[in-house]
Amino acid sequence: FGRKRSPRMQYPVDSIGADTIKKGYIDYLIKRYYDYRQADTSYGSFRPFSHAEIHTTIQRRFKAKTFFIHVSRFEELCVFIKGRVDQTIQGRNDRSRGIPNYDAFECYEAEQLRHGQ
């Protein structure tokens, strides 16, 4: 019944995907974007939404798949995704009320490392 899935490719050593904390943070930011876009519908925004769109846009802009982007561009990728979150209706509303739209990487990293002990 289930299709046989091809084994996942290993991420190159110098890519964001190879760094579990950086990969996790990008996953977290993308999830925030999905959640905020979902929330936009409650404000009457019915723009069609595809989960794949953010990855397609990232690939077009960075010329590599999301987690294959070189680790040196991590900060640039974060700024890009945070900008997308901030541009949602929910993101603009929260910012105007002084509510952060996402945790800083340093907080995320500290939390991950704390739980790893």
Side-chain angles (χ1 to χ4, degrees):
F1 50 99
R3 281 199 327 245
K4 231 182 131 169
R5 290 186 59 139
S6 56
R8 282 194 170 268
M9 208 175 113
Q10 286 289 356
Y11 295 112
V13 178
D14 55 358
S15 70
I16 290 170
D19 182 321
T20 53
I21 293 179
K22 287 188 167 86
K23 179 185 186 303
Y25 187 65
I26 295 300
D27 274 334
Y28 159 76
L29 289 177
I30 290 172
K31 171 95 173 73
R32 296 296 288 181
Y33 176 65
Y34 292 158
D35 293 347
Y36 277 51
R37 277 300 303 269
Q38 192 72 49
D40 282 0
T41 59
S42 67
Y43 296 104
S45 171
F46 296 106
R47 291 183 302 166
F49 176 60
S50 155
H51 283 76
E53 173 275 329
I54 185 96
H55 291 286
T56 309
T57 306
I58 288 168
Q59 189 167 357
R60 220 179 5 253
R61 183 183 177 116
F62 290 84
K63 301 194 178 19
K65 287 186 174 176
T66 307
F67 298 111
F68 286 84
I69 294 170
H70 193 272
V71 74
S72 66
R73 299 187 77 187
F74 172 72
E75 191 58 45
E76 187 185 348
L77 180 59
C78 289
V79 168
F80 174 74
I81 301 169
K82 287 174 180 178
R84 294 294 295 266
V85 173
D86 291 340
Q87 289 310 308
T88 61
I89 300 168
Q90 180 75 49
R92 288 196 295 263
N93 287 349
D94 283 357
R95 266 206 335 232
S96 70
R97 291 192 306 243
I99 301 168
N101 289 331
Y102 33 73
D103 294 340
F105 175 67
E106 295 70 29
C107 297
Y108 176 88
E109 182 178 36
E111 190 180 321
Q112 295 302 310
L113 294 172
R114 194 170 52 249
H115 288 297
Q117 292 171 347

